[in-house]
Amino acid sequence: MIISKSRDVCLPIMNLIRTKGFSILQQLHMEERLLRASSDNWCIINNGTNQPNIVMGISGKPEELIEVELVLQDQVPVIRRFTGGGTVIVDDRTIFVTFICNKNAIPGLQPYPRPIMSWTGQLYKNAFEAYGNFQLCENDYAFGLRKFGGNAQSITKNRWIHHTSFLWDYDAKSMEYLRLPKRAPEYRLARNHSEFLCRMKDYLTSRSTFIERTISSLEDHFSVRITEFDCVIDASESSQVLTTKLLTNQELEKAYSTQHQSFQK
Amino acid sequence: MVTRLILRSRWILNSRLPSISTEPLPVRAPGPTPALPPVEIATLHPFFKRNSSIGPNVSQLGISCHAWNQRYFSTSQALVDSPALVEVPLAQTGEGIAECELLKWFVEEGDHVEEFQPLCEVQSDKATIEITSRFEGKVQQILCVPGDIVKVGETLLKILINEMESTSEDDDSEASSDLQLSELEPETSLNNQQNLVAVLATPFVRHLAKQYDININDIKGSGKDGRVLKEDVLNYTNSKGIGKELPFKSHECAVNVDPFQERKTEFTASTQQWSYEDKVLPLRGFQRSMVKSMTVAAKVPHFYFMEEVKCNALVELKATLQKENTDQDVKHTFLPFLIKSLSMALNKYPLMNSSFSEESNEIILKGCHNIGVAMATPYGLVVPNIKKVQSQSIMEVTKELARLQQLAICNKLSTADITGGTITLSNIGSIGGKFGSPILNLPEAAIIAIGKIQKLPRFSDDDMVYPAYVTNVTIGADHRIVDGATVARFCNEWKLLIEKPELLLLHMR
């Protein structure tokens, strides 16, 4: 007891926010603000989002990545987030885990994409121990060669963010909104969504098991403190210009015409 | 002497060579080695000129101009007198990453950039990465546009460094090289650092030594790598029997030592040399921010409320605390009390701790009392803030204030330190002056200027004259958010807590 308490004293603090069904757009806004305006370490775990959303990476072009006609027809919101990476469709069956850290928070960890990816990979490996053959495949979390978690990062002068969307479960129909990306990891081997992906629920007993084990693994590196959500940066603080944006109908319609024209060619 | 100076020049040469930004350490990245301009040996001449006693034969130094350390050095300026155009390449950002997409520029051609200032954002695979500048200089040419795929090693932009000439006075150039030396120290990975001639110390410690008229090189440093700390200077003065009250220590709160020195030097220089030419000062750093923030603030309808506050009880309390103080690192001043009592008053008048959103036409009552303290530093006006004062003790506020002051002097405040403020205090009285009309630090609703504490005669309730310590406070407020009555009541509440600090005990948590 005394030893673990004294260890806590030496470990940097990680503020943990746990939410459920929180809007992914608001979550991304909050993350972007915390990355840019806070000097603390943060972990955000959102157990499902309130409605289906398509989330693209920072340089994502909707005409290349999504079936725009279907998206417009079904009025699925499309977000362009502030981190790199690919496109996902998320809903209440997606679990989001985000780490926002100061660059010196983890001793010896260099603030570059690959080292951060490896470090988080090890953290989750510990969390998933005995629950399937977890591995970091290129930039994805997979059981065997089947992806269940996609990652994205942003590295600034003094801090970095690494966030993941985990597929607890998904509807195969939802994947129809997404096109096969031009750039795919080698291990994908041209598989379609249903052959490439897997569902966490087929490997773990419950969502809370995953969440608790992740927090437990995090406690090896940080002194984790639960933070009430409304103590975080005021959500309506407007002094920062955010990169994360919801695409407008006009933008989607423009993407549709581009997509339609290239299809006709 | 010659040997030591040669070692210093070797260190400076190694450390001053331009280095790659965001280079993974310590493994040298694969891929093409970015082209870097070699520093000619001839450029060492100006350095040696300042130390003309040694008159070295430069060719005997045998230093390779193309060698540089893997470790990044946070040098702000190369030791060259003439401007140099530096090509900044896209450095290796991770294993196996051969190219990145340029997402956006944070600077434009013609902009002045500071060391560590973000230049652009790139994307490689899953990550967006901010590329920061290794140099201070002017952006001469941008070679890529957003959307371009840039290969590792390809030049992103060109920066002109050392455009401004160094000062002519020998003392000033010595001071500036000392400043650079102390700034460089934390980032160097030298094995031979203990052989350096010049002692390592922060600008604050150097100034302290100067005030005591001590040669800082005579002091043995107890800090890391032989760095001279404040305690070393004070111990040295005590041992030499120099220990006396420093003349200019009347300021309680604001950090404002160096501007006076600078102004004195400028005034002396101007009386000695009759220069009739205009001098152009490019806007940089805090000055630039000040122009932007004041321009925006000018559009907001300000109104001002002034009140006289008696500080007798506060003066007595401070004296008591300082007498009982056992921690040498803590110095009790008035400002932490003023800050904490301000926070207590804000609990009752949250409208004073708010901001106005023009987009949504709403007033946002801020949950945290992040109280900003305006500081005049050698680099300009800066307003770092103390976070969540409502849950801090006065001791914690004192320590945090000291931490921010130290960082401000060295221009090392972080973004977090200077953002998120909800109300500002400007202790203009520490420099001089009784009244002020401060301009709001947007998007805050209020700003408070505190004048000098003066000892003045006042009448007591029984019509007796007594000496009162009096300060004038001027509250500037956004009239879109608050009206005169609110400000007046708020000020009454704060004044009561200052004049009767025992009331703080009633409400303190």
Side-chain angles (χ1 to χ4, degrees):
Chain A
M1 181 68 155
I2 294 168
I3 292 167
S4 66
K5 285 278 183 221
S6 62
R7 259 193 69 223
D8 267 2
V9 167
C10 304
L11 293 174
I13 293 169
M14 172 70 82
N15 297 298
L16 171 66
I17 299 172
R18 286 182 70 166
T19 57
K20 189 176 159 75
F22 187 48
S23 148
I24 185 59
L25 178 65
Q26 287 186 36
Q27 179 183 338
L28 288 167
H29 280 159
M30 177 172 71
E31 288 177 7
E32 195 174 345
R33 287 200 184 98
L34 288 175
L35 174 70
R36 303 204 196 286
S38 168
S39 55
D40 295 334
N41 302 311
W42 298 89
C43 172
I44 297 143
I45 301 180
N46 185 18
N47 191 356
T49 188
N50 55 352
Q51 60 169 20
N53 272 268
I54 292 169
V55 186
M56 300 188 300
I58 190 168
S59 60
K61 296 184 180 66
E63 60 271 19
E64 290 174 9
L65 299 166
I66 61 178
E67 296 295 348
V68 189
E69 190 180 358
L70 207 56
V71 164
L72 278 168
Q73 189 180 295
D74 294 350
Q75 292 283 294
V76 182
V78 179
I79 297 168
R80 186 183 282 117
R81 64 180 185 265
F82 66 102
T83 53
T87 312
V88 290
I89 174 134
V90 299
D91 54 26
D92 59 340
R93 289 162 289 192
T94 315
I95 305 176
F96 303 91
V97 182
T98 301
F99 302 115
I100 303 172
C101 294
N102 289 313
K103 70 176 182 186
N104 54 4
I106 296 143
L109 178 66
Q110 297 292 333
Y112 299 102
R114 200 66 227 160
I116 295 169
M117 195 69 76
S118 300
W119 182 83
T120 51
Q122 189 57 51
L123 185 140
Y124 285 114
K125 195 175 169 74
N126 294 341
F128 286 112
E129 212 173 339
Y131 285 101
N133 177 21
F134 171 85
Q135 54 183 349
L136 174 65
C137 282
E138 293 177 51
N139 296 311
D140 300 332
Y141 299 140
F143 287 125
L145 289 175
R146 283 187 168 238
K147 174 180 174 177
F148 68 92
N151 297 298
Q153 298 169 338
S154 181
I155 300 166
T156 65
K157 193 167 122 186
N158 295 313
R159 288 161 71 68
W160 53 263
I161 178 171
H162 176 102
H163 55 193
T164 312
S165 57
F166 288 98
L167 292 173
W168 177 256
D169 191 6
Y170 67 88
D171 185 353
K173 204 170 170 307
S174 311
M175 295 300 159
E176 289 174 13
Y177 292 116
L178 305 182
R179 289 190 153 188
L180 275 175
K182 259 191 250 175
R183 281 181 68 179
E186 282 179 21
Y187 83 101
R188 182 161 186 157
L189 301 167
R191 288 176 283 170
N192 64 23
H193 289 299
S194 60
E195 289 166 350
F196 176 51
L197 303 173
C198 68
R199 297 171 172 82
M200 280 171 80
K201 71 181 183 83
D202 295 334
Y203 294 83
L204 277 83
T205 45
S206 68
R207 297 191 196 210
S208 53
T209 305
F210 162 60
I211 292 171
E212 295 309 324
R213 289 184 68 91
T214 299
I215 296 172
S216 178
S217 186
L218 191 60
E219 282 171 339
D220 287 343
H221 304 277
F222 293 93
S223 171
V224 176
R225 296 199 188 165
I226 309 256
T227 305
E228 290 305 320
F229 174 58
D230 47 14
C231 283
V232 183
I233 290 171
D234 191 328
S236 55
E237 190 174 304
S238 56
S239 56
Q240 258 179 315
V241 175
L242 298 174
T243 309
T244 303
K245 292 249 180 333
L246 184 67
L247 265 61
T248 60
N249 264 344
Q250 285 100 320
E251 285 170 303
L252 288 172
E253 275 156 18
K254 191 174 167 197
Y256 169 67
S257 4
T258 311
Q259 204 172 68
H260 199 58
Q261 279 166 14
S262 56
F263 179 71
Q264 281 177 336
K265 273 176 195 164
Chain B
M1 179 69 168
V2 172
T3 310
R4 284 153 82 197
L5 280 167
I6 287 170
L7 283 167
R8 177 181 182 182
S9 67
R10 174 197 287 260
W11 170 78
I12 287 166
L13 181 63
N14 280 342
S15 66
R16 299 291 182 172
L17 286 169
S19 182
I20 308 165
S21 61
T22 67
E23 187 178 36
L25 306 167
V27 175
R28 184 182 272 278
T33 308
L36 296 168
V39 173
E40 299 293 335
I41 288 193
T43 62
L44 289 172
H45 279 298
F47 172 71
F48 285 112
K49 266 188 196 162
R50 286 201 284 278
N51 302 275
S52 55
S53 57
I54 55 159
N57 183 344
V58 171
S59 64
Q60 289 173 352
L61 288 175
I63 298 163
S64 167
C65 285
H66 294 267
W68 64 84
N69 274 334
Q70 295 272 15
R71 186 74 73 94
Y72 163 66
F73 297 108
S74 61
T75 175
S76 58
Q77 296 169 48
L79 252 186
V80 291
D81 273 0
S82 54
L85 193 61
V86 172
E87 291 185 357
V88 179
L90 174 66
Q92 181 60 265
T93 53
E95 305 162 7
I97 294 172
E99 60 190 24
C100 292
E101 180 188 348
L102 177 67
L103 294 174
K104 64 177 167 188
W105 284 105
F106 298 124
V107 297
E108 292 174 353
E109 285 179 6
D111 280 356
H112 179 89
V113 294
E114 305 282 341
E115 196 187 353
F116 301 126
Q117 183 178 334
L119 293 172
C120 62
E121 193 175 41
V122 300
Q123 183 184 217
S124 72
D125 224 3
K126 297 285 180 180
T128 65
I129 304 163
E130 263 182 21
I131 306 291
T132 55
S133 178
R134 289 302 171 98
F135 312 102
E136 182 184 341
K138 186 171 116 174
V139 175
Q140 193 73 353
Q141 191 187 4
I142 283 178
L143 297 167
C144 313
V145 295
D148 280 353
I149 302 295
V150 184
K151 295 201 185 325
V152 167
E154 206 176 310
T155 304
L156 285 168
L157 75 163
K158 294 182 185 175
I159 295 181
L160 185 68
I161 59 174
N162 257 6
E163 205 185 9
M164 298 290 287
E165 288 179 18
S166 55
T167 56
S168 54
E169 294 288 338
D170 278 346
D171 283 347
D172 285 349
S173 49
E174 195 63 48
S176 69
S177 65
D178 285 345
L179 186 72
Q180 288 163 4
L181 192 65
S182 56
E183 281 180 351
L184 277 163
E185 191 275 331
E187 299 289 329
T188 58
S189 60
L190 301 163
N191 294 326
N192 60 348
Q193 199 162 338
Q194 58 273 22
N195 295 329
L196 289 176
V197 173
V199 90
L200 299 168
T202 64
F204 175 75
V205 171
R206 289 185 186 282
H207 183 79
L208 190 65
K210 235 178 181 174
Q211 284 199 296
Y212 279 116
D213 211 15
I214 304 166
N215 182 356
I216 198 163
N217 290 322
D218 293 339
I219 305 174
K220 190 170 163 20
S222 63
K224 190 186 166 198
D225 297 321
R227 180 194 278 266
V228 173
L229 307 176
K230 177 185 161 191
E231 293 72 31
D232 299 327
V233 173
L234 295 175
N235 291 338
Y236 184 86
T237 57
N238 287 336
S239 67
K240 295 284 177 191
I242 306 169
K244 60 178 162 69
E245 274 290 315
L246 286 179
F248 187 70
K249 279 293 178 192
S250 57
H251 70 277
E252 292 291 346
C253 320
V255 176
N256 51 25
V257 176
D258 285 340
F260 274 93
Q261 296 286 61
E262 276 180 12
R263 285 206 286 279
K264 195 177 156 189
T265 312
E266 281 168 18
F267 179 70
T268 315
S270 68
T271 53
Q272 286 170 355
Q273 305 160 20
W274 292 98
S275 170
Y276 299 99
E277 288 181 16
D278 290 349
K279 194 173 176 186
V280 174
L281 290 177
L283 290 178
R284 53 168 82 178
F286 294 144
Q287 184 90 38
R288 210 161 146 189
S289 305
M290 191 166 75
V291 168
K292 278 188 191 164
S293 56
M294 294 303 168
T295 307
V296 175
K299 294 176 194 160
V300 172
H302 286 62
F303 79 96
Y304 294 98
F305 179 87
M306 293 170 207
E307 176 63 284
E308 181 183 280
V309 180
K310 291 187 187 55
C311 300
N312 288 48
L314 200 59
V315 168
E316 214 178 297
L317 178 62
K318 181 195 141 192
T320 309
L321 285 175
Q322 197 51 41
K323 198 172 150 195
E324 301 296 325
N325 186 20
T326 50
D327 190 343
Q328 279 187 349
D329 288 333
V330 172
K331 191 182 169 218
H332 289 292
T333 61
F334 293 120
L335 199 52
F337 294 101
L338 295 170
I339 292 170
K340 184 64 185 175
S341 53
L342 184 72
S343 172
M344 304 285 269
L346 288 174
N347 283 330
K348 270 195 170 176
Y349 296 93
L351 215 50
M352 297 295 290
N353 192 56
S354 62
S355 71
F356 183 73
S357 165
E358 284 182 30
E359 287 166 7
S360 52
N361 229 32
E362 290 170 334
I363 294 169
I364 301 145
L365 300 177
K366 300 290 186 180
C368 299
H369 297 174
N370 296 341
I371 299 179
V373 179
M375 294 181 186
T377 75
Y379 307 96
L381 168 68
V382 68
V383 189
N385 59 87
I386 301 171
K387 303 275 191 281
K388 297 180 191 163
V389 175
Q390 68 258 58
S391 50
Q392 306 273 353
S393 66
I394 291 176
M395 182 61 111
E396 284 166 339
V397 170
T398 305
K399 287 183 175 167
E400 177 62 4
L401 187 63
R403 183 188 77 86
L404 292 170
Q405 281 167 340
Q406 281 302 311
L407 291 174
I409 297 171
C410 307
N411 194 18
K412 286 194 186 324
L413 288 165
S414 68
T415 310
D417 290 331
I418 59 174
T419 53
T422 58
I423 189 167
T424 298
L425 274 178
S426 176
N427 185 22
I428 196 69
S430 62
I431 299 175
K434 297 168 196 163
F435 303 96
S437 299
I439 296 184
L440 285 172
N441 186 16
L442 288 187
E444 295 167 15
I447 181 167
I448 303 159
I450 307 169
K452 197 172 165 181
I453 297 181
Q454 305 166 86
K455 199 169 170 184
L456 295 171
R458 287 288 179 270
F459 283 105
S460 64
D461 291 339
D462 53 2
D463 289 340
M464 299 298 290
V465 175
Y466 71 97
Y469 288 97
V470 162
T471 179
N472 295 304
V473 300
T474 310
I475 302 179
D478 184 340
H479 216 319
R480 299 172 301 177
I481 303 175
V482 288
D483 54 24
T486 308
V487 174
R489 289 190 194 108
F490 163 76
C491 191
N492 286 344
E493 179 69 26
W494 187 37
K495 178 179 150 105
L496 189 63
L497 292 171
I498 296 170
E499 292 182 348
K500 293 183 167 46
E502 58 272 19
L503 289 177
L504 281 174
L505 288 169
L506 270 181
H507 305 290
M508 198 89 84
R509 281 189 192 149

